[in-house]
Amino acid sequence: SNKSTFNCVYATILDGASDGTDNKKPRVEEAPPSRVLHIRKLPSEASETEVIALGLPFGKVTNILTLKGKNQAFLEMGTEEAAITMVNYYATVNPHVRNVPVFIQYSNHKELKTDAGNQRTQAVLQAVSAVQSSGSSSSDVQEALAAVSSPVLRIIIDNMFYPVTLDALQQIFSKFGTVMKIITFTKNNQFQALLQFSDPVNAQHAKLALDGQNIYNSCCTLRIDFSKLVNLNVKYNNDKSRDYTRPELPAGDGQPSLDPAVAAAFSKESNSLLGKIPGALNPLSAAAAAAAAAGRVALAGQAGSNGVLLVSNLNEEVRVYGDVQRVKILYNKKDSALIQMSDANQAQLAMSHLNGQKMYGKIIRVTLSKHQTVALPRDGLDDQGLTKDYANSPLHRFKKPGSKNFQNIFPPSATLHLSNIPQDVTEDDLRLLFSDTGGTVKAFKFFQDRKMALIQMSTVEEAIQALIDLHNYNVGKKQHLRVSFSKSTI
Protein backbone atom coordinates (compact mmCIF):
# COMPACT_ATOMS: atom_id res chain seq x y z
CA SER A 1 0.00 0.00 0.00
CA ASN A 2 1.06 3.64 -0.28
CA LYS A 3 1.35 3.87 3.49
CA SER A 4 3.63 0.86 3.80
CA THR A 5 5.76 2.06 0.89
CA PHE A 6 6.08 5.47 2.54
CA ASN A 7 7.05 3.92 5.87
CA CYS A 8 9.60 1.66 4.15
CA VAL A 9 11.18 4.65 2.40
CA TYR A 10 11.13 6.67 5.61
CA ALA A 11 12.83 3.90 7.62
CA THR A 12 15.54 3.42 5.01
CA ILE A 13 16.20 7.13 4.99
CA LEU A 14 16.70 7.26 8.73
CA ASP A 15 18.98 4.23 8.47
CA GLY A 16 21.17 5.92 5.86
CA ALA A 17 21.90 9.30 7.44
CA SER A 18 21.48 11.45 10.53
CA ASP A 19 18.86 14.23 10.42
CA GLY A 20 21.56 16.75 9.60
CA THR A 21 20.42 19.16 12.30
CA ASP A 22 22.99 18.29 14.98
CA ASN A 23 26.66 19.24 15.16
CA LYS A 24 27.97 15.69 14.86
CA LYS A 25 29.48 14.61 11.56
CA PRO A 26 26.80 12.70 9.63
CA ARG A 27 27.35 8.99 9.21
CA VAL A 28 26.82 8.68 5.47
CA GLU A 29 27.89 5.78 3.28
CA GLU A 30 28.80 6.63 -0.30
CA ALA A 31 25.97 5.38 -2.57
CA PRO A 32 26.42 4.60 -6.27
CA PRO A 33 24.95 7.06 -8.80
CA SER A 34 21.16 7.13 -8.82
CA ARG A 35 18.53 9.44 -10.25
CA VAL A 36 17.22 9.84 -6.68
CA LEU A 37 19.16 12.43 -4.66
CA HIS A 38 19.24 12.83 -0.88
CA ILE A 39 19.26 16.46 0.33
CA ARG A 40 20.14 17.23 3.98
CA LYS A 41 20.31 20.17 6.39
CA LEU A 42 17.37 21.98 4.80
CA PRO A 43 16.03 24.94 6.78
CA SER A 44 12.82 23.94 8.54
CA GLU A 45 10.74 26.49 6.59
CA ALA A 46 11.98 25.28 3.16
CA SER A 47 9.17 24.48 0.71
CA GLU A 48 8.92 21.76 -1.92
CA THR A 49 9.12 24.48 -4.54
CA GLU A 50 12.56 25.55 -3.30
CA VAL A 51 13.85 21.96 -3.23
CA ILE A 52 12.60 21.34 -6.78
CA ALA A 53 14.32 24.55 -7.89
CA LEU A 54 17.69 22.98 -6.98
CA GLY A 55 17.20 20.35 -9.69
CA LEU A 56 15.51 22.39 -12.43
CA PRO A 57 18.69 23.58 -14.21
CA PHE A 58 19.80 19.98 -14.74
CA GLY A 59 16.71 18.34 -16.22
CA LYS A 60 13.20 17.11 -15.52
CA VAL A 61 12.16 16.64 -11.88
CA THR A 62 9.79 13.65 -11.62
CA ASN A 63 9.16 13.25 -7.88
CA ILE A 64 9.92 14.67 -4.44
CA LEU A 65 9.61 13.50 -0.85
CA THR A 66 10.17 15.97 1.97
CA LEU A 67 10.69 15.02 5.62
CA LYS A 68 9.90 18.22 7.47
CA GLY A 69 10.74 16.86 10.91
CA LYS A 70 14.17 15.64 9.78
CA ASN A 71 15.10 18.68 7.61
CA GLN A 72 15.66 16.36 4.66
CA ALA A 73 14.25 15.68 1.22
CA PHE A 74 14.56 13.23 -1.64
CA LEU A 75 14.48 14.52 -5.21
CA GLU A 76 13.94 12.21 -8.19
CA MET A 77 15.36 13.39 -11.50
CA GLY A 78 14.11 12.21 -14.90
CA THR A 79 17.41 10.48 -15.74
CA GLU A 80 20.50 9.26 -13.92
CA GLU A 81 22.60 11.49 -16.19
CA ALA A 82 20.76 14.58 -14.95
CA ALA A 83 21.33 13.53 -11.33
CA ILE A 84 25.07 12.95 -11.96
CA THR A 85 25.40 16.39 -13.57
CA MET A 86 23.62 17.95 -10.60
CA VAL A 87 25.82 16.21 -7.99
CA ASN A 88 29.02 17.06 -9.89
CA TYR A 89 27.98 20.71 -10.17
CA TYR A 90 27.08 21.08 -6.50
CA ALA A 91 30.37 19.41 -5.52
CA THR A 92 32.09 22.57 -6.76
CA VAL A 93 29.37 25.15 -6.00
CA ASN A 94 27.73 25.02 -2.57
CA PRO A 95 23.92 24.76 -2.95
CA HIS A 96 21.88 27.10 -0.74
CA VAL A 97 18.22 27.19 0.26
CA ARG A 98 17.11 30.43 1.95
CA ASN A 99 20.78 31.38 2.33
CA VAL A 100 21.46 28.15 4.26
CA PRO A 101 24.03 25.70 2.79
CA VAL A 102 22.55 22.23 2.11
CA PHE A 103 24.18 18.89 1.27
CA ILE A 104 23.33 16.74 -1.76
CA GLN A 105 24.35 13.09 -2.39
CA TYR A 106 23.09 10.02 -4.22
CA SER A 107 20.39 7.98 -2.52
CA ASN A 108 20.34 4.19 -2.17
CA HIS A 109 16.94 4.31 -3.86
CA LYS A 110 16.63 3.96 -7.63
CA GLU A 111 13.17 5.57 -7.64
CA LEU A 112 10.74 7.24 -5.26
CA LYS A 113 7.42 5.59 -4.57
CA THR A 114 5.63 8.27 -2.60
CA ASP A 115 2.03 8.63 -1.54
CA ALA A 116 0.11 9.81 -4.62
CA GLY A 117 -2.49 11.27 -2.30
CA ASN A 118 -0.17 14.15 -1.37
CA GLN A 119 -2.15 16.76 -3.33
CA ARG A 120 0.23 19.63 -2.75
CA THR A 121 3.21 17.67 -4.10
CA GLN A 122 1.24 16.46 -7.11
CA ALA A 123 0.11 20.01 -7.90
CA VAL A 124 3.68 21.34 -7.86
CA LEU A 125 4.99 18.46 -9.98
CA GLN A 126 2.16 18.83 -12.52
CA ALA A 127 2.88 22.53 -12.92
CA VAL A 128 6.60 21.92 -13.42
CA SER A 129 6.02 19.03 -15.83
CA ALA A 130 3.55 21.02 -17.94
CA VAL A 131 5.94 23.95 -18.40
CA GLN A 132 9.03 21.77 -18.96
CA SER A 133 7.32 19.57 -21.56
CA SER A 134 6.37 22.67 -23.54
CA GLY A 135 10.08 23.42 -24.01
CA SER A 136 9.94 26.61 -22.00
CA SER A 137 12.97 28.28 -20.47
CA SER A 138 14.18 27.84 -16.91
CA SER A 139 12.73 31.24 -15.99
CA ASP A 140 9.31 30.09 -17.25
CA VAL A 141 9.57 27.03 -15.03
CA GLN A 142 10.51 29.22 -12.06
CA GLU A 143 7.42 31.36 -12.80
CA ALA A 144 5.26 28.23 -12.91
CA LEU A 145 6.62 27.16 -9.54
CA ALA A 146 5.91 30.56 -8.08
CA ALA A 147 2.42 30.57 -9.58
CA VAL A 148 1.43 27.16 -8.27
CA SER A 149 2.28 28.42 -4.80
CA SER A 150 -0.41 31.12 -5.15
CA PRO A 151 -3.95 30.58 -3.87
CA VAL A 152 -5.20 33.37 -6.17
CA LEU A 153 -6.61 32.72 -9.65
CA ARG A 154 -7.12 35.30 -12.41
CA ILE A 155 -10.32 34.55 -14.32
CA ILE A 156 -11.38 36.00 -17.68
CA ILE A 157 -14.84 35.32 -19.14
CA ASP A 158 -14.89 34.97 -22.95
CA ASN A 159 -18.07 35.06 -25.07
CA MET A 160 -20.11 36.54 -22.22
CA PHE A 161 -23.55 36.05 -23.70
CA TYR A 162 -25.15 36.03 -20.24
CA PRO A 163 -24.16 38.10 -17.20
CA VAL A 164 -21.79 36.34 -14.78
CA THR A 165 -22.00 37.50 -11.18
CA LEU A 166 -19.63 37.31 -8.26
CA ASP A 167 -21.98 34.84 -6.58
CA ALA A 168 -22.05 32.59 -9.65
CA LEU A 169 -18.25 32.39 -9.51
CA GLN A 170 -18.32 31.66 -5.79
CA GLN A 171 -20.76 28.79 -6.29
CA ILE A 172 -18.79 27.24 -9.15
CA PHE A 173 -15.32 27.54 -7.60
CA SER A 174 -16.36 26.53 -4.07
CA LYS A 175 -16.73 22.96 -5.41
CA PHE A 176 -12.93 22.81 -5.16
CA GLY A 177 -12.29 24.34 -1.74
CA THR A 178 -12.99 27.30 0.49
CA VAL A 179 -13.30 30.57 -1.47
CA MET A 180 -12.10 33.39 0.77
CA LYS A 181 -12.20 36.51 -1.41
CA ILE A 182 -13.35 37.62 -4.87
CA ILE A 183 -12.77 40.88 -6.73
CA THR A 184 -14.51 41.45 -10.10
CA PHE A 185 -13.73 44.17 -12.65
CA THR A 186 -13.84 44.98 -16.37
CA LYS A 187 -10.58 45.37 -18.29
CA ASN A 188 -10.22 45.77 -22.07
CA ASN A 189 -14.00 45.36 -22.34
CA GLN A 190 -13.79 41.92 -20.69
CA PHE A 191 -15.27 40.79 -17.41
CA GLN A 192 -12.47 39.54 -15.15
CA ALA A 193 -12.11 38.35 -11.57
CA LEU A 194 -9.46 37.58 -8.97
CA LEU A 195 -10.48 34.71 -6.71
CA GLN A 196 -8.58 33.60 -3.60
CA PHE A 197 -8.80 30.09 -2.14
CA SER A 198 -7.71 29.16 1.38
CA ASP A 199 -5.07 26.79 -0.06
CA PRO A 200 -2.96 26.85 -3.27
CA VAL A 201 -3.85 23.18 -3.90
CA ASN A 202 -7.52 24.16 -4.26
CA ALA A 203 -6.54 26.82 -6.80
CA GLN A 204 -4.51 24.25 -8.77
CA HIS A 205 -7.40 21.75 -8.84
CA ALA A 206 -9.93 24.41 -9.85
CA LYS A 207 -7.69 25.60 -12.69
CA LEU A 208 -7.16 22.06 -14.01
CA ALA A 209 -10.88 21.28 -13.90
CA LEU A 210 -12.42 24.58 -15.03
CA ASP A 211 -10.02 26.23 -17.49
CA GLY A 212 -11.73 26.25 -20.90
CA GLN A 213 -15.13 25.19 -19.52
CA ASN A 214 -18.34 27.04 -20.43
CA ILE A 215 -20.44 28.31 -17.53
CA TYR A 216 -23.51 28.22 -19.79
CA ASN A 217 -24.14 26.27 -22.96
CA SER A 218 -21.73 27.41 -25.74
CA CYS A 219 -20.83 30.69 -24.03
CA CYS A 220 -19.25 32.37 -20.98
CA THR A 221 -15.98 30.46 -21.32
CA LEU A 222 -13.63 30.45 -18.33
CA ARG A 223 -9.98 31.37 -19.04
CA ILE A 224 -7.99 30.77 -15.85
CA ASP A 225 -4.39 31.55 -14.89
CA PHE A 226 -2.55 31.82 -11.60
CA SER A 227 -2.17 35.35 -10.29
CA LYS A 228 1.17 36.67 -9.09
CA LEU A 229 -0.71 37.98 -6.06
CA VAL A 230 -0.80 35.76 -2.99
CA ASN A 231 -3.40 37.76 -1.05
CA LEU A 232 -6.32 39.98 -2.08
CA ASN A 233 -7.12 43.21 -0.25
CA VAL A 234 -10.91 43.61 -0.24
CA LYS A 235 -12.32 46.87 1.15
CA TYR A 236 -16.05 46.46 0.43
CA ASN A 237 -18.59 43.64 0.41
CA ASN A 238 -20.91 44.27 -2.53
CA ASP A 239 -21.71 42.91 -6.00
CA LYS A 240 -18.18 43.77 -7.24
CA SER A 241 -16.01 42.43 -4.40
CA ARG A 242 -16.42 40.17 -1.39
CA ASP A 243 -14.34 39.02 1.57
CA TYR A 244 -16.14 35.97 2.96
CA THR A 245 -13.93 36.04 6.07
CA ARG A 246 -15.04 39.59 6.98
CA PRO A 247 -18.84 39.92 6.69
CA GLU A 248 -18.71 43.19 8.66
CA LEU A 249 -17.12 45.14 5.77
CA PRO A 250 -19.20 48.09 4.43
CA ALA A 251 -20.86 48.04 1.03
CA GLY A 252 -19.02 51.19 -0.08
CA ASP A 253 -20.35 54.41 -1.61
CA GLY A 254 -22.71 53.89 -4.51
CA GLN A 255 -22.29 50.12 -4.49
CA PRO A 256 -25.38 48.04 -3.67
CA SER A 257 -24.72 45.26 -1.22
CA LEU A 258 -26.06 41.82 -2.07
CA ASP A 259 -29.83 41.53 -2.07
CA PRO A 260 -31.00 38.60 0.14
CA ALA A 261 -33.28 37.51 -2.70
CA VAL A 262 -30.26 37.14 -4.96
CA ALA A 263 -28.44 34.99 -2.43
CA ALA A 264 -31.55 32.81 -2.18
CA ALA A 265 -31.71 32.46 -5.96
CA PHE A 266 -28.12 31.31 -6.12
CA SER A 267 -28.52 28.79 -3.31
CA LYS A 268 -30.99 26.75 -5.37
CA GLU A 269 -29.55 23.90 -7.41
CA SER A 270 -30.46 23.94 -11.08
CA ASN A 271 -29.70 21.91 -14.18
CA SER A 272 -25.96 21.83 -14.73
CA LEU A 273 -24.59 23.34 -17.91
CA LEU A 274 -21.03 22.76 -16.78
CA GLY A 275 -21.08 19.05 -17.49
CA LYS A 276 -19.31 17.32 -14.65
CA ILE A 277 -19.57 20.24 -12.27
CA PRO A 278 -22.91 20.02 -10.44
CA GLY A 279 -24.86 23.01 -9.24
CA ALA A 280 -23.98 25.39 -12.06
CA LEU A 281 -26.52 28.09 -12.77
CA ASN A 282 -28.86 28.13 -15.70
CA PRO A 283 -28.79 31.29 -17.83
CA LEU A 284 -32.23 32.54 -16.85
CA SER A 285 -31.76 32.46 -13.10
CA ALA A 286 -28.24 33.85 -13.48
CA ALA A 287 -29.36 36.80 -15.56
CA ALA A 288 -32.32 37.50 -13.29
CA ALA A 289 -30.08 37.40 -10.24
CA ALA A 290 -27.52 39.64 -11.95
CA ALA A 291 -30.21 42.17 -12.71
CA ALA A 292 -31.61 41.98 -9.19
CA ALA A 293 -28.15 42.42 -7.72
CA ALA A 294 -27.85 45.67 -9.61
CA GLY A 295 -31.20 46.76 -8.19
CA ARG A 296 -32.90 46.73 -11.55
CA VAL A 297 -35.75 44.23 -11.42
CA ALA A 298 -37.54 41.67 -9.31
CA LEU A 299 -36.32 38.09 -9.53
CA ALA A 300 -37.78 35.68 -12.08
CA GLY A 301 -41.15 34.43 -10.92
CA GLN A 302 -42.49 37.90 -10.18
CA ALA A 303 -41.37 39.46 -13.43
CA GLY A 304 -38.72 37.97 -15.61
CA SER A 305 -40.04 34.68 -16.93
CA ASN A 306 -40.96 36.29 -20.26
CA GLY A 307 -39.24 38.07 -23.09
CA VAL A 308 -40.86 41.52 -22.83
CA LEU A 309 -38.91 44.60 -21.71
CA LEU A 310 -40.13 48.00 -20.58
CA VAL A 311 -37.76 50.67 -21.87
CA SER A 312 -38.22 54.24 -20.60
CA ASN A 313 -36.66 57.68 -20.94
CA LEU A 314 -36.25 57.23 -24.68
CA ASN A 315 -36.04 60.12 -27.06
CA GLU A 316 -39.50 60.29 -28.59
CA GLU A 317 -38.09 59.86 -32.10
CA VAL A 318 -36.78 56.37 -31.28
CA ARG A 319 -39.03 53.60 -32.56
CA VAL A 320 -36.85 50.49 -32.81
CA TYR A 321 -33.66 49.23 -31.20
CA GLY A 322 -32.05 45.84 -31.69
CA ASP A 323 -33.19 42.47 -32.99
CA VAL A 324 -36.74 42.28 -31.67
CA GLN A 325 -40.10 40.65 -32.44
CA ARG A 326 -42.48 43.47 -31.62
CA VAL A 327 -42.31 47.06 -30.38
CA LYS A 328 -45.11 49.12 -28.85
CA ILE A 329 -44.64 52.80 -28.03
CA LEU A 330 -46.86 53.65 -25.04
CA TYR A 331 -49.72 55.95 -26.10
CA ASN A 332 -49.73 58.14 -22.96
CA LYS A 333 -45.97 58.04 -22.39
CA LYS A 334 -44.18 58.22 -25.70
CA ASP A 335 -40.69 58.14 -24.19
CA SER A 336 -41.42 54.55 -23.09
CA ALA A 337 -41.90 51.33 -25.07
CA LEU A 338 -42.61 47.65 -24.62
CA ILE A 339 -40.11 45.54 -26.57
CA GLN A 340 -40.67 41.83 -27.10
CA MET A 341 -37.53 39.77 -27.66
CA SER A 342 -37.37 36.24 -29.07
CA ASP A 343 -37.08 34.68 -25.61
CA ALA A 344 -36.51 35.47 -21.95
CA ASN A 345 -32.74 34.95 -22.18
CA GLN A 346 -32.38 37.64 -24.85
CA ALA A 347 -34.53 40.00 -22.78
CA GLN A 348 -32.32 39.43 -19.72
CA LEU A 349 -29.21 40.03 -21.80
CA ALA A 350 -30.50 43.25 -23.37
CA MET A 351 -31.53 44.55 -19.95
CA SER A 352 -28.17 43.71 -18.42
CA HIS A 353 -26.18 45.50 -21.13
CA LEU A 354 -28.44 48.44 -21.94
CA ASN A 355 -29.90 49.63 -18.64
CA GLY A 356 -28.19 52.88 -17.68
CA GLN A 357 -26.64 53.49 -21.11
CA LYS A 358 -26.86 56.94 -22.69
CA MET A 359 -28.82 57.32 -25.93
CA TYR A 360 -29.68 60.64 -27.58
CA GLY A 361 -28.34 62.42 -24.52
CA LYS A 362 -30.63 60.61 -22.07
CA ILE A 363 -29.98 57.72 -19.68
CA ILE A 364 -32.35 54.91 -20.67
CA ARG A 365 -33.96 52.56 -18.14
CA VAL A 366 -34.59 48.93 -19.04
CA THR A 367 -36.61 46.58 -16.83
CA LEU A 368 -38.56 43.37 -17.33
CA SER A 369 -42.23 43.96 -18.05
CA LYS A 370 -45.13 42.14 -16.42
CA HIS A 371 -46.55 41.56 -19.91
CA GLN A 372 -45.94 38.14 -21.46
CA THR A 373 -46.27 39.42 -25.04
CA VAL A 374 -46.77 42.66 -26.93
CA ALA A 375 -50.29 42.54 -28.38
CA LEU A 376 -50.91 43.72 -31.94
CA PRO A 377 -53.81 46.15 -32.50
CA ARG A 378 -57.10 44.52 -33.36
CA ASP A 379 -58.04 44.48 -37.04
CA GLY A 380 -59.38 47.80 -38.19
CA LEU A 381 -58.08 49.65 -35.12
CA ASP A 382 -55.70 52.52 -35.84
CA ASP A 383 -53.06 52.84 -33.11
CA GLN A 384 -51.23 55.68 -34.95
CA GLY A 385 -48.35 53.41 -35.92
CA LEU A 386 -47.23 52.89 -32.33
CA THR A 387 -47.04 49.07 -32.62
CA LYS A 388 -44.77 47.26 -35.10
CA ASP A 389 -44.28 43.53 -35.76
CA TYR A 390 -40.75 42.49 -36.78
CA ALA A 391 -41.15 38.72 -36.35
CA ASN A 392 -40.54 38.02 -40.06
CA SER A 393 -37.72 40.49 -40.57
CA PRO A 394 -34.96 38.95 -42.76
CA LEU A 395 -32.31 40.92 -40.87
CA HIS A 396 -32.44 39.25 -37.44
CA ARG A 397 -28.99 38.28 -36.10
CA PHE A 398 -29.95 35.19 -34.11
CA LYS A 399 -32.32 33.22 -36.34
CA LYS A 400 -29.99 30.23 -36.72
CA PRO A 401 -29.56 28.03 -33.59
CA GLY A 402 -25.89 27.74 -32.63
CA SER A 403 -24.93 30.75 -34.76
CA LYS A 404 -21.50 32.26 -34.10
CA ASN A 405 -23.31 35.53 -33.43
CA PHE A 406 -24.26 34.14 -30.01
CA GLN A 407 -20.54 33.97 -29.14
CA ASN A 408 -19.84 37.58 -30.08
CA ILE A 409 -22.15 39.57 -27.83
CA PHE A 410 -20.42 42.18 -25.69
CA PRO A 411 -21.42 45.17 -23.55
CA PRO A 412 -21.62 48.55 -25.27
CA SER A 413 -18.15 49.94 -25.97
CA ALA A 414 -16.59 52.71 -28.02
CA THR A 415 -15.12 50.17 -30.46
CA LEU A 416 -17.41 48.56 -33.05
CA HIS A 417 -16.89 45.41 -35.09
CA LEU A 418 -17.88 45.70 -38.76
CA SER A 419 -18.44 42.76 -41.08
CA ASN A 420 -19.87 41.96 -44.53
CA ILE A 421 -17.85 44.83 -46.04
CA PRO A 422 -17.73 44.80 -49.89
CA GLN A 423 -14.25 44.67 -51.45
CA ASP A 424 -14.64 48.06 -53.14
CA VAL A 425 -15.49 49.93 -49.90
CA THR A 426 -12.42 51.79 -48.58
CA GLU A 427 -11.35 52.95 -45.12
CA ASP A 428 -12.19 56.53 -46.09
CA ASP A 429 -15.70 55.46 -47.15
CA LEU A 430 -16.34 53.87 -43.76
CA ARG A 431 -14.78 56.73 -41.76
CA LEU A 432 -17.06 59.19 -43.60
CA LEU A 433 -20.12 56.98 -43.13
CA PHE A 434 -19.60 56.71 -39.38
CA SER A 435 -18.70 60.39 -38.98
CA ASP A 436 -22.08 61.24 -40.54
CA THR A 437 -23.83 59.67 -37.52
CA GLY A 438 -22.70 62.70 -35.50
CA GLY A 439 -19.65 61.16 -33.81
CA THR A 440 -15.88 61.34 -34.20
CA VAL A 441 -13.91 58.39 -35.56
CA LYS A 442 -10.80 58.00 -33.39
CA ALA A 443 -9.25 54.92 -35.04
CA PHE A 444 -9.86 52.34 -37.78
CA LYS A 445 -8.36 48.97 -38.61
CA PHE A 446 -9.15 46.52 -41.42
CA PHE A 447 -8.83 42.79 -40.80
CA GLN A 448 -6.51 40.93 -43.20
CA ASP A 449 -9.28 39.85 -45.60
CA ARG A 450 -10.79 43.39 -45.57
CA LYS A 451 -14.28 41.89 -45.14
CA MET A 452 -14.20 42.91 -41.48
CA ALA A 453 -12.88 45.90 -39.56
CA LEU A 454 -12.77 47.64 -36.18
CA ILE A 455 -13.78 51.29 -35.85
CA GLN A 456 -13.43 53.31 -32.66
CA MET A 457 -15.68 56.23 -31.84
CA SER A 458 -14.77 58.84 -29.23
CA THR A 459 -17.45 57.74 -26.72
CA VAL A 460 -19.70 54.75 -25.99
CA GLU A 461 -22.75 56.93 -26.65
CA GLU A 462 -21.44 57.77 -30.13
CA ALA A 463 -20.81 54.08 -30.80
CA ILE A 464 -24.37 53.19 -29.72
CA GLN A 465 -25.74 55.85 -32.05
CA ALA A 466 -23.59 54.62 -34.95
CA LEU A 467 -24.73 51.04 -34.38
CA ILE A 468 -28.40 52.08 -34.37
CA ASP A 469 -27.97 54.08 -37.58
CA LEU A 470 -25.70 51.74 -39.53
CA HIS A 471 -26.38 48.13 -38.59
CA ASN A 472 -27.95 46.55 -41.72
CA TYR A 473 -27.01 49.66 -43.74
CA ASN A 474 -27.13 48.90 -47.47
CA VAL A 475 -23.58 49.39 -48.75
CA GLY A 476 -24.46 48.37 -52.30
CA LYS A 477 -24.73 45.16 -54.34
CA LYS A 478 -27.47 43.95 -51.95
CA GLN A 479 -24.92 43.74 -49.11
CA HIS A 480 -25.87 44.98 -45.66
CA LEU A 481 -23.23 46.16 -43.19
CA ARG A 482 -23.18 44.19 -39.93
CA VAL A 483 -22.29 46.27 -36.85
CA SER A 484 -21.79 45.00 -33.29
CA PHE A 485 -19.93 46.01 -30.14
CA SER A 486 -16.37 44.69 -29.88
CA LYS A 487 -14.38 43.44 -26.89
CA SER A 488 -11.19 44.56 -28.65
CA THR A 489 -9.59 47.97 -28.82
CA ILE A 490 -7.47 49.49 -31.58
Side-chain angles (χ1 to χ4, degrees):
S1 70
N2 285 333
K3 188 173 182 182
S4 61
T5 303
F6 181 86
N7 289 338
C8 174
V9 172
Y10 191 83
T12 312
I13 291 167
L14 297 185
D15 194 39
S18 78
D19 63 15
T21 58
D22 55 26
N23 293 322
K24 296 177 183 177
K25 187 173 182 179
R27 176 178 61 82
V28 181
E29 296 178 6
E30 192 70 32
S34 164
R35 67 191 185 102
V36 179
L37 300 172
H38 182 197
I39 304 169
R40 298 179 293 111
K41 290 200 172 182
L42 286 164
S44 57
E45 68 275 16
S47 66
E48 288 165 331
T49 299
E50 290 166 308
V51 176
I52 290 174
L54 290 172
L56 285 179
F58 306 97
K60 191 170 184 179
V61 176
T62 51
N63 210 346
I64 182 174
L65 172 65
T66 56
L67 304 172
K68 292 286 188 184
K70 307 301 290 183
N71 298 84
Q72 299 183 28
F74 281 73
L75 194 67
E76 181 186 272
M77 302 299 290
T79 64
E80 191 174 293
E81 289 74 20
I84 292 171
T85 304
M86 180 174 167
V87 169
N88 289 343
Y89 175 80
Y90 286 132
T92 58
V93 178
N94 259 353
H96 286 74
V97 174
R98 301 204 176 200
N99 296 319
V100 175
V102 298
F103 297 88
I104 300 175
Q105 65 193 60
Y106 298 116
S107 166
N108 288 315
H109 298 281
K110 294 302 179 186
E111 65 176 330
L112 280 182
K113 294 180 180 176
T114 53
D115 184 357
N118 187 332
Q119 296 179 335
R120 172 74 188 133
T121 301
Q122 293 305 312
V124 174
L125 287 170
Q126 282 177 18
V128 174
S129 176
V131 180
Q132 283 189 320
S133 61
S134 67
S136 300
S137 66
S138 177
S139 62
D140 290 331
V141 178
Q142 294 285 1
E143 279 188 25
L145 280 172
V148 81
S149 301
S150 173
V152 180
L153 295 175
R154 183 173 66 97
I155 303 158
I156 296 174
I157 310 291
D158 277 345
N159 302 326
M160 199 163 125
F161 184 35
Y162 300 110
V164 176
T165 64
L166 180 149
D167 293 270
L169 293 175
Q170 193 274 339
Q171 182 174 351
I172 292 166
F173 281 82
S174 63
K175 308 293 181 188
F176 300 89
T178 303
V179 175
M180 299 180 71
K181 304 172 186 178
I182 304 177
I183 298 172
T184 64
F185 54 96
T186 300
K187 184 177 181 182
N188 299 329
N189 289 327
Q190 279 192 310
F191 179 82
Q192 301 189 27
L194 293 170
L195 184 146
Q196 182 177 338
F197 278 101
S198 58
D199 191 302
V201 172
N202 303 140
Q204 173 73 7
H205 288 172
K207 181 183 183 301
L208 289 172
L210 294 175
D211 188 27
Q213 290 270 11
N214 294 327
I215 297 178
Y216 311 121
N217 195 19
S218 301
C219 67
C220 297
T221 307
L222 291 164
R223 303 295 179 200
I224 305 172
D225 284 308
F226 289 102
S227 170
K228 292 180 180 178
L229 300 171
V230 293
N231 185 52
L232 298 180
N233 181 24
V234 176
K235 296 180 179 179
Y236 304 113
N237 282 340
N238 51 45
D239 60 327
K240 299 290 191 296
S241 63
R242 193 78 52 79
D243 186 337
Y244 295 95
T245 68
R246 299 182 64 198
E248 76 281 359
L249 287 177
D253 293 337
Q255 292 284 357
S257 55
L258 187 68
D259 190 304
V262 181
F266 277 103
S267 68
K268 295 177 182 176
E269 294 292 324
S270 58
N271 294 329
S272 172
L273 292 178
L274 264 178
K276 297 179 182 178
I277 300 156
L281 300 169
N282 66 44
L284 184 57
S285 68
R296 296 170 186 164
V297 295
L299 280 170
Q302 300 168 9
S305 56
N306 59 72
V308 180
L309 296 168
L310 172 63
V311 184
S312 57
N313 210 27
L314 291 167
N315 183 298
E316 292 191 14
E317 295 173 357
V318 176
R319 291 293 182 268
V320 184
Y321 178 75
D323 179 13
V324 298
Q325 300 301 302
R326 294 175 182 173
V327 176
K328 183 181 184 71
I329 305 293
L330 301 188
Y331 181 78
N332 292 322
K333 194 170 171 38
K334 290 189 171 60
D335 70 344
S336 299
L338 292 174
I339 300 179
Q340 182 177 332
M341 307 298 289
S342 297
D343 57 37
N345 291 340
Q346 289 190 19
Q348 298 278 7
L349 184 69
M351 178 185 64
S352 172
H353 287 332
L354 294 178
N355 184 41
Q357 293 292 343
K358 201 171 185 182
M359 286 173 55
Y360 296 98
K362 300 171 80 173
I363 303 294
I364 65 168
R365 299 297 173 201
V366 186
T367 62
L368 292 174
S369 168
K370 294 177 182 178
H371 296 277
Q372 298 295 316
T373 60
V374 171
L376 293 174
R378 290 192 297 273
D379 288 342
L381 187 67
D382 180 17
D383 77 339
Q384 302 176 16
L386 295 178
T387 306
K388 297 285 185 182
D389 187 359
Y390 298 95
N392 297 317
S393 168
L395 300 177
H396 286 169
R397 297 176 191 244
F398 309 112
K399 287 186 297 183
K400 296 177 184 176
S403 164
K404 283 186 178 179
N405 289 340
F406 284 102
Q407 299 176 22
N408 293 302
I409 297 176
F410 304 104
S413 64
T415 304
L416 297 169
H417 179 275
L418 316 182
S419 60
N420 207 32
I421 303 171
Q423 289 296 319
D424 57 351
V425 172
T426 66
E427 177 180 336
D428 288 341
D429 292 334
L430 290 169
R431 280 179 173 269
L432 180 61
L433 184 65
F434 278 77
S435 296
D436 285 345
T437 64
T440 303
V441 175
K442 302 286 286 186
F444 182 92
K445 180 184 177 183
F446 262 124
F447 284 54
Q448 195 167 2
D449 62 2
R450 295 180 68 86
K451 293 179 182 177
M452 294 189 289
L454 294 177
I455 191 164
Q456 184 177 334
M457 308 302 288
S458 60
T459 66
V460 174
E461 185 183 3
E462 287 183 6
I464 291 174
Q465 183 63 57
L467 186 148
I468 293 171
D469 291 349
L470 297 176
H471 175 61
N472 290 323
Y473 181 84
N474 189 339
V475 282
K477 298 179 182 177
K478 296 182 179 179
Q479 280 187 264
H480 290 82
L481 187 67
R482 314 292 284 179
V483 185
S484 58
F485 295 114
S486 173
K487 69 175 180 181
S488 306
T489 53
I490 304 175

